[in-house]
Amino acid sequence: AQSVAQPEDQVNVAEGNPLTVKCTYSVSGNPYLFWYVQYPNRGLQFLLKYITGDNLVKGSYGFEAEFNKSQTSFHLKKPSALVSDSALYFCAVRGGPSDTNAGKSTFGDGTTLTVKP
Amino acid sequence: DAGVIQSPRHEVTEMGQEVTLRCKPISGHDYLFWYRQTMMRGLELLIYFNNNVPIDDSGMPEDRFSAKMPNASFSTLKIQPSEPRDSAVYFCASNWRSTGELFFGEGSRLTVL
């Protein structure tokens, strides 16, 4: 079975400060990891993904994430937060092509990011 | 492309009524997912299809829920009879390969009175 944990329900940062939203995962085989963002009354939007290659992945809106295999983590980061980054963030893991859960995406519970001016 | 299109965006109905939610995935995508989002349970996968075939429906709450995908460009999620605890936002998502990111619709907000 695959699972994702986002240990923080809420993260608060001041504008201009760096931010980190944490995610750990459990999956058999190679992990396919994703971050999505959801604004109020909207669907989820893709931010970035790790499939293979460099452990540091860069995505939309200046976000990046670091894949750490030994710690089974995929934390989302941004060097300088903006008020407009305030939203709900989801980490997700997806089964690879040879996995019994091939194609199936499992999401964490989400972390609400609030950036204060 | 217009993205994943869901209808209706909002539905208010009374307990016991049948509800049908509709989804048009992005053209060319071969995976389609139905998710439900609530404050209490977060984002739950209900069912997903690959090439119009249901692959995993283990997340469907009970027999009152059913989903179909008669062709590559259309899917429905039906609740019959509906209950107040079914109130949630239902999302449809699609993508074209097993390792790719999902594209979500804007959701259908269901309220069952």
Side-chain angles (χ1 to χ4, degrees), chain B residues 89-111:
Chain B
V89 181
Y90 291 81
F91 287 104
C92 177
S94 71
N95 87 323
W96 68 275
R97 53 182 174 164
S98 64
T99 58
E101 63 271 23
L102 300 185
F103 294 79
F104 281 80
E106 296 288 28
S108 294
R109 181 176 296 274
L110 173 65
T111 302

Side-chain angles (χ1 to χ4, degrees), chain A residues 2 93-96 100-106, chain B residues 31 33 35 45 48 56 58-59 98 102:
Chain A
Q2 57 191 33
V93 63
R94 192 164 191 197
T100 53
N101 292 312
K104 179 178 181 177
S105 286
T106 300
Chain B
Y31 280 87
F33 303 79
Y35 285 90
L45 175 64
Y48 76 100
D56 184 350
S58 60
S98 64
L102 300 185

Side-chain angles (χ1 to χ4, degrees), chain B residues 17 28-29 32 51-52 61-62 76 79 92 95 99 110-111:
Chain B
Q17 296 298 305
H29 283 189
L32 184 138
N51 292 320
N52 313 336
E62 47 197 275
T76 59
I79 308 172
C92 177
N95 87 323
T99 58
L110 173 65
T111 302

Side-chain angles (χ1 to χ4, degrees), chain A residues 47-91:
Chain A
L47 274 181
L48 51 79
K49 65 182 175 184
Y50 173 83
I51 303 296
T52 186
D54 290 341
N55 291 340
L56 186 63
V57 178
K58 295 187 181 297
S60 307
Y61 312 120
F63 284 93
E64 57 190 28
E66 186 168 10
F67 170 65
N68 187 316
K69 187 173 184 179
S70 63
Q71 297 184 7
T72 61
S73 67
F74 189 56
H75 301 331
L76 180 70
K77 300 181 179 183
K78 188 173 183 180
S80 179
L82 300 173
V83 172
S84 57
D85 293 330
S86 298
L88 182 58
Y89 290 81
F90 289 94
C91 182

Side-chain angles (χ1 to χ4, degrees), chain A residues 11-39:
Chain A
V11 170
N12 297 314
V13 298
E15 188 173 33
N17 283 359
L19 69 87
T20 298
V21 182
K22 296 179 180 178
C23 171
T24 59
Y25 66 89
S26 174
V27 65
S28 59
N30 293 322
Y32 297 85
L33 299 162
F34 303 81
W35 277 100
Y36 294 83
V37 61
Q38 185 181 28
Y39 298 100

